């Protein structure tokens, strides 16, 4: 299990890479791949209410990116709260 060193010199034995951080990273990475892979959406058909695919696909990814960023934020905050609670519980002993 990898450990990190804090500035105060105390050891933190929590793993640096956790499943929730991996999921958060994937949530932040997927929109980049979707937008940088231009060949996948560089066309006009199918159109949606008269808007070419190229435009509505990008606008859809704005909404999807917002949702994925929120999911990543919630996962990281939940992990931070759990770590803080564990530290405080350990300090009370």
């Amino acid at each position: 299990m990898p450990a990190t060193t804090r500035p105060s010199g105390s050891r933190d034995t929590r793993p640096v890479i956790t499943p929730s951080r991996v999921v958060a990273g994937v949530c932040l990475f997927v929109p980049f791949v979707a937008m940088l892979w231009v060949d996948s959406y560089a066309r006009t058909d199918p159109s949606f209410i008269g808007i070419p695919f190229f435009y509505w696909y990008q606008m859809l990814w704005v909404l999807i990116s917002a949702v994925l960023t929120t999911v990543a934020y919630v996962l990281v905050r939940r992990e931070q709260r759990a770590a803080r609670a564990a530290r405080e519980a350990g300090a009370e002993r």
Side-chain angles (χ1 to χ4, degrees), residues 40-48 50-57:
S40 69
Y41 64 91
R43 58 180 188 253
T44 57
D45 289 325
S47 63
F48 176 68
I51 301 170
F53 180 75
F54 182 80
Y55 295 111
W56 69 258
Y57 178 83

Side-chain angles (χ1 to χ4, degrees), residues 26-79:
V26 169
C27 286
L28 296 174
F29 183 70
V30 167
F32 286 106
V33 172
M35 290 290 92
L36 291 176
W37 187 21
V38 179
D39 288 342
S40 69
Y41 64 91
R43 58 180 188 253
T44 57
D45 289 325
S47 63
F48 176 68
I49 60 171
I51 301 170
F53 180 75
F54 182 80
Y55 295 111
W56 69 258
Y57 178 83
Q58 291 180 39
M59 288 296 104
L60 180 64
W61 270 103
V62 169
L63 299 174
I64 293 170
S65 297
V67 170
L68 290 174
T69 302
T70 302
V71 168
Y73 175 78
V74 168
L75 287 172
V76 170
R77 291 291 293 165
R78 183 181 300 161
E79 183 179 333

